[in-house]
Amino acid sequence: TKLIMLLAVNIGNSNIRFAVVDGQEVHLSWTIATKPYRTAGEFYMSFQTYKEQYKNAFGKISKIVVGSVVPQQTQVIAKMLQKTFSIKPFIVNRDTPSEVTHHSNQMGTDLYANAVAAHYLYPNQKKIIIDFGTALTLTGVSETGEMLGVIIAPGVVTSLQSLVNNTAQLPYIELNEPKSVLGMDTETCMQSGIIYGYTAMVEGLIERIKQTYQSDFLVISTGGVGHIFRKLTDKIQVDDKYHTIKGLSLLYNLHKK
């Protein structure tokens, strides 16, 4: 077997996504919860299960890229991966070179990777990448790869958790489209607020960006619950849960050229 596969790891605040990538094609992917934070040893142990389960693909991995927005877990996971594969992971961040330009010393790796994937995969047009993660983010990128800026709001699940945790009588709900816009039972009422509320927010923000730039944008969604909202609006053209992973993988390939 040729050693050609890239293991891309995206460490987010809620989930860590692992993906085995060949070119821009994701062959295999799984996630584990980020919390509780673990030691390298604990990661190593839990990782053996996947190693067993996916040994075919694992045998072909010859390179590893890691992007993280959780600094206290980055080195721990990198260490575990190095121990598992005997390959030194390449850790990307907002300063890893690409054609995407920005002037920020604060930008999260995920936002940068999202912009990079959009620039290389959907060239020659303005785009907005909406990441439905722990935070809801919208990132604007120009035709030439310049970052236009970012919007950050509480994520869908984050917002739901905060509502449930701060009320006595509101339960957790499934994130499904409600039976009606005005609910007569608690579940429907909350589904309307979260599902239609976030749809309205996202549509409103997309419109506001388009108005500001007096221009059309290609809109790409990604992140945990992106697929739910893609169905509810015609303002999102593409939903790709691997968008950030593809950005990390592109950054690796640009770096190794």
Side-chain angles (χ1 to χ4, degrees):
T1 49
K2 291 228 312 291
L3 290 168
I4 46 165
M5 301 287 198
L6 168 69
L7 177 66
V9 183
N10 180 26
I11 305 172
N13 287 296
S14 304
N15 290 296
I16 303 168
R17 181 173 285 284
F18 296 87
V20 179
V21 186
D22 183 9
Q24 279 308 306
E25 206 182 320
V26 176
H27 281 266
L28 176 68
S29 179
W30 68 97
T31 60
I32 62 174
T34 307
K35 292 182 173 119
Y37 294 158
R38 300 170 185 81
T39 63
E42 289 169 322
F43 266 122
Y44 184 74
M45 288 310 291
S46 67
F47 206 74
Q48 299 316 303
T49 327
Y50 295 104
K51 202 178 175 178
E52 200 44 50
Q53 206 177 336
Y54 303 134
K55 50 177 172 293
N56 274 352
F58 272 37
K60 296 181 187 148
I61 291 168
S62 63
K63 40 205 178 173
I64 303 175
V65 63
V66 176
S68 174
V69 294
V70 188
Q72 54 274 62
Q73 288 284 282
T74 313
Q75 290 305 331
V76 175
I77 291 174
K79 207 193 260 174
M80 178 278 288
L81 292 168
Q82 184 156 2
K83 188 176 165 187
T84 305
F85 293 97
S86 309
I87 299 164
K88 191 168 167 54
F90 175 57
I91 298 171
V92 305
N93 59 33
R94 67 178 161 266
D95 299 320
T96 307
S98 76
E99 284 175 13
V100 171
T101 57
H102 66 84
H103 308 287
S104 163
N105 57 357
Q106 299 178 318
M107 185 186 306
T109 307
D110 52 350
L111 297 177
Y112 179 57
N114 281 343
V116 168
H119 174 70
Y120 287 96
L121 300 176
Y122 308 94
N124 309 319
Q125 53 192 322
K126 289 195 182 73
K127 43 248 159 194
I128 297 167
I129 307 93
I130 307 177
D131 196 331
F132 287 92
T134 312
L136 172 76
T137 62
L138 289 84
T139 304
V141 184
S142 78
E143 302 89 332
T144 57
E146 185 194 352
M147 294 274 282
L148 299 170
V150 177
I151 296 171
I152 301 178
V156 177
V157 176
T158 309
S159 170
L160 173 60
Q161 280 170 342
S162 141
L163 178 63
V164 172
N165 292 337
N166 287 295
T167 53
Q169 294 190 300
L170 298 183
Y172 274 104
I173 53 161
E174 294 284 324
L175 288 176
N176 298 327
E177 196 175 350
K179 339 190 246 283
S180 57
V181 63
L182 293 173
M184 291 295 277
D185 58 273
T186 309
E187 185 178 43
T188 309
C189 301
M190 289 173 70
Q191 282 172 333
S192 188
I194 298 283
I195 301 290
Y196 291 150
Y198 268 87
T199 303
M201 169 155 75
V202 163
E203 289 182 332
L205 291 172
I206 292 169
E207 254 342 281
R208 192 174 280 260
I209 295 168
K210 288 179 176 175
Q211 287 292 313
T212 304
Y213 287 89
Q214 290 291 300
S215 167
D216 204 26
F217 281 75
L218 173 76
V219 182
I220 303 144
S221 64
T222 189
V225 296
H227 62 281
I228 297 172
F229 292 89
R230 167 76 186 84
K231 297 196 289 276
L232 295 173
T233 173
D234 52 9
K235 301 232 188 293
I236 298 172
Q237 282 78 51
V238 183
D239 177 65
D240 179 1
K241 69 173 171 183
Y242 300 127
H243 185 82
T244 316
I245 286 287
K246 289 173 183 174
L248 295 175
S249 146
L250 280 158
L251 284 166
Y252 179 93
N253 294 331
L254 288 164
H255 164 79
K256 294 298 177 194
K257 256 193 198 140

